[in-house]
Amino acid sequence: MDKLSLDHIAALEKLNGYSTEAMESYMEVTPDGKFEEDMYLALGEVAPDSYLAVEPTWLDAQVELLKKQPWFKASPFGRREAEKELKDKPKGAFLVRVSSQKGHYAVSVKRKSGEVDHMLVLPSWAGAESNAPGQTQYRIGTYTTDLFNTIPKLVAFYIGHPFYDDERLIGIVESEDQDGGFYLDVEPIAQ
């Protein structure tokens, strides 16, 4: 198990909704698969308004599900808006936004250097037997091979594990309402 820095834990503790149980849940998330070159789906000509074999209505439904997450920004929300929003935030602060590339998302994150980096989240065909929604899994950029069934599950993993060197995301992930996704297995705190 990865060790968290005291700075990372302190930043998480400041967030509304943080709990030790939630952090343990993030640490327990594991990838749903590994990307391999043969996972590219050879469909020939793809319609300009679709991504692989996924219907545009499915993509719209995924965006609606993502709107429940505190770190998600629906369109129109580009690089400049992300940089402005993250400018005065601590390292590890992030947001996920819809990319200009159909079917893709982008993670904008405040790096330890103080710069905001934009990482494309790449969708991959998960196979007909997959329990991933839409048979689609996600990974960050081309340098990672870890695949996740949903964007919230990917985010939860990188809160508890480094996305690059010792850098982690700082945020809270709400449980998902779809099979194959992230479920926070803790009792709610009575108010």
Side-chain angles (χ1 to χ4, degrees), residues 55-74:
E55 295 293 324
T57 54
W58 181 82
L59 290 173
D60 294 341
Q62 291 302 299
V63 168
E64 288 304 311
L65 289 170
L66 284 169
K67 286 179 180 178
K68 298 175 184 174
Q69 299 296 338
W71 36 260
F72 182 71
K73 303 295 180 186

Side-chain angles (χ1 to χ4, degrees), residues 30 125 152 161 183:
T30 57
W125 185 63
H161 303 85
Y183 300 97

Side-chain angles (χ1 to χ4, degrees), residues 2-191:
D2 293 314
K3 289 202 141 225
L4 298 174
S5 74
L6 294 177
D7 289 342
H8 187 73
I9 293 170
L12 286 167
E13 287 174 338
K14 292 178 184 176
L15 299 175
N16 185 26
Y18 171 81
S19 69
T20 303
E21 293 84 5
M23 191 64 228
E24 289 171 1
S25 189
Y26 302 145
M27 296 291 290
E28 292 172 4
V29 173
T30 57
D32 295 303
K34 290 281 187 191
F35 177 79
E36 297 174 16
E37 288 297 319
D38 65 352
M39 296 179 85
Y40 288 113
L41 186 58
L43 291 177
E45 212 45 50
V46 177
D49 63 343
S50 67
Y51 161 71
L52 296 177
V54 178
E55 295 293 324
T57 54
W58 181 82
L59 290 173
D60 294 341
Q62 291 302 299
V63 168
E64 288 304 311
L65 289 170
L66 284 169
K67 286 179 180 178
K68 298 175 184 174
Q69 299 296 338
W71 36 260
F72 182 71
K73 303 295 180 186
S75 296
F77 199 92
R79 286 175 171 247
R80 287 192 181 122
E81 292 89 351
E83 290 167 0
K84 184 177 179 181
E85 182 151 327
L86 295 171
K87 180 181 177 186
D88 297 322
K89 304 280 181 167
K91 66 181 180 180
F94 73 99
L95 58 85
V96 175
R97 56 190 172 77
V98 176
S99 171
S100 58
Q101 294 184 39
K102 188 75 171 168
H104 293 69
Y105 299 93
V107 176
S108 297
V109 62
K110 180 88 170 263
R111 303 291 301 270
K112 65 182 175 183
S113 67
E115 297 296 315
V116 174
D117 196 8
H118 308 278
M119 301 178 289
L120 189 62
V121 177
L122 301 173
S124 297
W125 185 63
E129 303 300 317
S130 171
N131 73 335
Q135 282 76 45
T136 301
Q137 292 180 320
Y138 301 92
R139 64 187 172 122
I140 295 180
T142 57
Y143 63 90
T144 62
T145 58
D146 290 333
L147 291 169
F148 301 90
N149 287 351
T150 64
I151 300 297
K153 197 168 185 182
L154 176 147
V155 167
F157 180 81
Y158 290 114
I159 290 172
H161 303 85
F163 63 89
Y164 184 78
D165 286 339
D166 63 343
E167 295 186 68
R168 292 174 167 83
L169 302 177
I170 294 175
I172 301 294
V173 179
E174 300 292 333
S175 292
E176 292 186 79
D177 297 328
Q178 62 180 337
D179 291 338
F182 175 75
Y183 300 97
L184 189 57
D185 192 21
V186 297
E187 293 295 319
I189 298 171
Q191 301 262 337

